[in-house]
């Protein structure tokens, strides 16, 4: 009985025209006679991480048993505070393309770079007396010149066949190691996506420039953010109340939810197959025949995360770094006596 009460307290109610039980109540003094003080052993027992999908560019995982404030802290840190390497300064020697210098520099700055930022220090760009070094600055070079292709097939109109270097892609960016950088970055530093189109050239047009890359965070500029998106949602809950739904009623009930949420068993009864696929559209609450037969909600301490990387680093690396940064913030806070 206690378990059922606890489960109801931890569930956000989704009704036809409102959302109920939105505030968390698991803190001392709210319920008479109950000790809701935070306990490390209880937290370890209840906290879980479940990974459902993980690739080099995207991941989906569940954080179970934490508060929304902690979950949101991870999301904000991943977006704005995990440092990455990006192009900050562009020194243009020659640009005879139709793209203006400042537009070209902006396009280059937004190209995600695949590099481990842990080997570099922060560059103090606000200090004019500081010179870049191999410890804080990475040098890249881009050189491309368009010429006519003498061996092109007569009559063809494809620019890629007619000309050499008709399209300049991110793969043309070359890493020029300085100092010990060849040792720190044995695989080099390249664009996360080599097929990003930088410019289109025609015979006689040329681009020749040098780029300096430094560490930064998304809080300063979006080009430093390692994620394309980082979001979470609460786990949906669906409870079927009363006798089993069968026949046409079961089919209609199933059609009120996205594909894969509700299924029909061998007895012809509707049951919840996978509630996490539900988008909580409340469509089922529009029909009078389901009034009092279904209860929708969301689990307050179960967060389904979706992280899409720009390619600068893998999603699991981004999340681990967000945990390390939050831990560092807590360590700094503990140095201060909050009672003063």
């Amino acid at each position: 009985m206690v378990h059922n009460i606890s489960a109801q307290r931890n569930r956000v109610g989704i009704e036809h025209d409102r959302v109920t039980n939105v505030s968390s109540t698991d803190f001392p003094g709210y319920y008479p006679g109950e000790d809701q003080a935070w306990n490390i052993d209880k937290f370890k027992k209840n906290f879980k991480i479940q990974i459902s999908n993980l690739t080099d560019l995207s991941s989906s995982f569940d954080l179970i048993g934490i508060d929304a404030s902690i979950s949101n802290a991870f999301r904000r840190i991943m977006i704005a505070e995990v440092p990455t390497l990006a192009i900050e300064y562009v020194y243009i020697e020659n640009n005879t393309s139709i793209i203006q210098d400042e537009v070209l520099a902006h396009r280059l700055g937004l190209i995600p770079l695949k590099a481990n930022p842990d080997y570099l220090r922060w560059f103090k760009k606000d200090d004019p007396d500081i010179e870049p070094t191999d410890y804080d600055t990475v040098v890249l070079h881009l050189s491309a010149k368009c010429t006519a292709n003498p061996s092109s097939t007569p009559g063809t109109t494809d620019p890629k066949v007619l000309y050499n270097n008709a399209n300049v892609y991110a793969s043309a960016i070359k890493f020029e190691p300085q100092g010990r950088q060849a040792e720190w970055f044995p695989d080099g530093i390249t664009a996360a996506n080599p097929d990003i189109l930088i410019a289109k050239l025609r015979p006689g047009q040329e681009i020749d420039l040098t780029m300096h890359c430094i560490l930064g965070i998304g809080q300063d500029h979006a080009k430093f953010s390692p994620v394309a998106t980082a979001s979470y949602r609460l786990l949906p809950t669906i409870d079927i109340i009363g006798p089993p739904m069968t026949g046409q009623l079961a089919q209609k009930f199933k059609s009120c939810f996205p594909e894969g949420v509700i299924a029909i068993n061998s007895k012809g009864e509707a049951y919840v197959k996978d509630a996490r696929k539900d988008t909580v559209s409340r469509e089922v609450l529009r029909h009078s025949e389901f009034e009092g037969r279904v209860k929708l909600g969301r689990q307050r301490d179960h967060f389904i995360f979706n992280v899409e990387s720009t390619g600068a680093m893998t999603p699991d690396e981004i999340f681990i770094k967000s945990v390390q940064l939050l831990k560092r913030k807590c360590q700094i806070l503990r140095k201060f006596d909050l009672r003063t």
Side-chain angles (χ1 to χ4, degrees):
M1 183 66 178
V2 175
H3 174 73
N4 291 335
I5 293 175
S6 177
Q8 290 301 319
R9 290 175 180 174
N10 206 27
R11 182 173 296 185
V12 178
I14 307 295
E15 299 184 5
H16 183 273
D17 55 353
R18 62 175 181 163
V19 179
T20 62
N21 198 29
V22 295
S23 300
S24 176
T25 58
D26 55 348
F27 54 87
Y30 191 87
Y31 296 105
E34 294 187 21
D35 182 15
Q36 295 286 346
W38 191 84
N39 182 279
I40 183 65
D41 294 326
K42 181 180 178 182
F43 173 78
K44 288 181 178 180
K45 180 180 178 181
N46 296 331
F47 179 69
K48 297 178 183 178
I49 299 179
Q50 297 176 347
I51 301 174
S52 54
N53 175 61
L54 179 61
T55 67
D56 289 341
L57 291 178
S58 66
S59 69
S60 179
F61 57 92
D62 296 16
L63 293 185
I64 307 170
I66 63 172
D67 188 76
S69 60
I70 305 300
S71 181
N72 196 46
F74 288 139
R75 182 189 68 85
R76 291 175 66 98
I77 291 172
M78 284 189 284
I79 293 173
E81 297 185 52
V82 175
T84 63
L85 190 71
I87 297 168
E88 180 72 7
Y89 303 102
V90 180
Y91 303 94
I92 299 177
E93 298 293 334
N94 190 12
N95 175 27
T96 55
S97 71
I98 63 171
I99 302 178
Q100 300 94 330
D101 290 354
E102 60 272 23
V103 176
L104 180 60
H106 184 262
R107 290 173 66 89
L108 291 168
L110 292 175
I111 296 176
L113 301 176
K114 200 170 187 62
N116 187 347
D118 295 340
Y119 290 105
L120 298 173
R121 300 173 184 171
W122 292 90
F123 178 68
K124 299 179 180 179
K125 60 181 180 179
D126 296 329
D127 190 342
D129 297 327
I130 298 295
E131 294 292 331
T133 68
D134 57 326
Y135 288 94
D136 55 36
T137 304
V138 169
V139 179
L140 303 177
H141 189 75
L142 174 62
S143 180
K145 183 177 182 180
C146 183
T147 58
N149 181 12
S151 60
S152 61
T153 305
T156 184
T157 58
D158 187 355
K160 295 180 181 179
V161 178
L162 285 173
Y163 316 120
N164 299 314
N165 293 325
N167 295 341
V168 181
Y169 294 99
S171 57
I173 296 176
K174 303 302 179 184
F175 171 48
E176 296 183 350
Q178 310 291 317
R180 297 180 59 190
Q181 289 179 357
E183 175 186 342
W184 300 335
F185 306 103
D187 297 328
I189 295 177
T190 59
N193 185 349
D195 296 326
I196 295 176
L197 180 64
I198 298 175
K200 292 186 177 183
L201 303 180
R202 291 299 179 264
Q205 295 180 348
E206 180 180 359
I207 293 177
D208 187 13
L209 51 84
T210 300
M211 297 156 281
H212 284 188
C213 312
I214 64 173
L215 285 180
I217 56 177
Q219 176 178 308
D220 294 332
H221 196 286
K223 68 183 178 182
F224 291 112
S225 180
V227 298
T229 181
S231 62
Y232 64 79
R233 62 189 179 96
L234 296 177
L235 176 71
T237 61
I238 305 170
D239 294 327
I240 299 176
I241 303 171
M245 299 183 193
T246 58
Q248 293 297 323
L249 187 64
Q251 292 294 337
K252 184 173 183 179
F253 184 75
K254 178 182 177 181
S255 67
C256 291
F257 296 89
E259 186 69 27
V261 176
I262 304 297
I264 309 295
N265 61 22
S266 58
K267 297 180 181 180
E269 301 171 349
Y271 71 96
V272 181
K273 182 180 180 181
D274 190 355
R276 69 183 292 125
K277 293 182 179 180
D278 187 29
T279 57
V280 195
S281 65
R282 310 189 203 187
E283 170 65 21
V284 69
L285 301 180
R286 295 178 60 247
H287 303 280
S288 58
E289 56 264 53
F290 300 126
E291 186 174 351
R293 300 293 305 276
V294 62
K295 188 174 183 180
L296 304 180
R298 285 184 181 268
Q299 196 70 22
R300 185 183 288 111
D301 65 346
H302 190 137
F303 300 88
I304 303 174
F305 266 84
N306 181 56
V307 179
E308 295 181 14
S309 171
T310 61
M313 59 185 74
T314 59
D316 54 324
E317 288 179 304
I318 297 172
F319 178 70
I320 291 173
K321 287 182 181 294
S322 72
V323 175
Q324 294 170 342
L325 285 167
L326 183 59
K327 180 180 178 181
R328 194 177 309 161
K329 288 172 180 283
C330 295
Q331 291 172 338
I332 294 173
L333 187 63
R334 291 183 64 182
K335 293 181 180 179
F336 297 93
D337 188 350
L338 300 181
R339 294 172 295 180
T340 60

